[in-house]
Amino acid sequence: MKKATKGPSIKTAQALLAKHECPVPFHEVRTRFLGNIATPAISASPLQIIKDLWGGELPPFDSIEEVNELLDTLVQGLWNDLTRHQKRSQPFRLTRPSTEPTAVDLGQYGLVRLQELDGFIEGLFNGEDVIDLPERAHEAVDRLAEMRAMMAGICALVSHAPDADDAAKLGTTFSHLRELTRIMETEINEAVLSCTRARRQMIEGILTEKPTVH
């Protein structure tokens, strides 16, 4: 029997992004890619969203081999791995930062979630200010925007009181954040599934249209 070959690992993708000084943190790269995989925008392409990680152009390379290594790792590895989340049986999960009851960890947790939500919306909208989304995906984006505002509020709160380490209160806050994370994941997955269904129906509609007889 033939064995399926696996693409480059996630760790390889992280190492190459760090090597080429990608300004976007890896947890946000994941959600940007996922949003772009789901987007109904016809113009979406893995190459463009990879370029956008560095502001619109690929970083400098010493050889063509380095270019191919980066693109193979990000497309054949990370991008292809994320496409499995277009199935309900393979839900996407957000990064799990440290949740020690400290103000520092609380601020970092809020920042990671904020960046992940920004990344997903950026990938989904594919550089557009307005995009036509299926109803369930539109609802999900509205809810994610509300939770994004909450994460921004947490970041602002911690920045004003970085030493407020009341373990009991922080423990309660982290408990709420873990519940919010589950809601975020639900809304992200519903947006992806909704867009995937809509795209499939559109393609099926095009394929089943009878050609006009002249």
Side-chain angles (χ1 to χ4, degrees), residues 61-70:
F61 297 96
D62 293 330
S63 67
I64 191 65
E65 287 77 18
E66 281 194 347
V67 180
N68 292 334
E69 180 186 32
L70 180 68

Side-chain angles (χ1 to χ4, degrees), residues 2-206:
K2 292 183 178 180
K3 292 184 178 180
T5 56
K6 294 182 70 175
S9 71
I10 300 303
K11 287 185 178 179
T12 302
Q14 288 178 287
L16 281 177
L17 288 168
K19 174 184 175 182
H20 294 290
E21 300 180 343
C22 178
V24 180
F26 184 70
H27 52 263
E28 184 177 342
V29 172
R30 290 177 70 235
T31 55
R32 276 201 201 187
F33 278 19
L34 181 66
N36 211 235
I37 288 166
T39 184
I42 298 173
S43 61
S45 78
L47 179 58
Q48 186 56 53
I49 201 162
I50 289 170
K51 288 181 177 180
D52 289 343
L53 297 176
W54 284 272
E57 295 293 338
L58 290 175
F61 297 96
D62 293 330
S63 67
I64 191 65
E65 287 77 18
E66 281 194 347
V67 180
N68 292 334
E69 180 186 32
L70 180 68
L71 295 181
D72 285 347
T73 299
L74 294 182
V75 178
Q76 300 302 325
L78 183 58
W79 182 280
N80 283 353
D81 179 65
L82 290 167
T83 60
R84 63 192 169 92
H85 299 304
Q86 294 174 100
K87 297 180 180 179
R88 189 171 292 278
S89 60
Q90 298 283 330
F92 177 77
R93 293 286 179 258
L94 295 168
T95 303
R96 292 298 190 263
S98 173
T99 56
E100 293 297 320
T102 67
V104 171
D105 277 0
L106 179 61
Q108 181 61 23
Y109 194 105
L111 178 61
V112 167
R113 290 289 175 264
L114 187 152
Q115 291 170 334
E116 286 176 320
L117 295 179
D118 281 351
F120 181 71
I121 297 303
E122 183 163 339
L124 187 66
F125 277 62
N126 194 47
E128 302 293 333
D129 293 328
V130 179
I131 191 169
D132 187 17
L133 293 172
E135 183 176 354
R136 182 62 183 90
H138 180 74
E139 292 173 0
V141 167
D142 284 346
R143 290 170 185 163
L144 291 172
E146 292 173 1
M147 287 181 279
R148 193 253 182 222
M150 293 180 195
M151 298 304 105
I154 287 172
C155 292
L157 181 66
V158 172
S159 70
H160 287 105
D163 300 319
D165 284 344
D166 184 322
K169 290 182 180 178
L170 287 169
T172 300
T173 302
F174 272 118
S175 178
H176 293 322
L177 286 176
R178 284 190 287 270
E179 180 58 33
L180 278 175
T181 291
R182 288 190 283 272
I183 297 171
M184 289 176 196
E185 289 172 338
T186 296
E187 296 305 321
I188 287 173
N189 283 308
E190 289 299 330
V192 171
L193 293 172
S194 178
C195 289
T196 299
R197 279 194 304 272
R199 188 168 59 247
R200 186 184 302 121
Q201 290 168 358
M202 181 180 68
I203 293 171
E204 288 173 353
I206 292 172

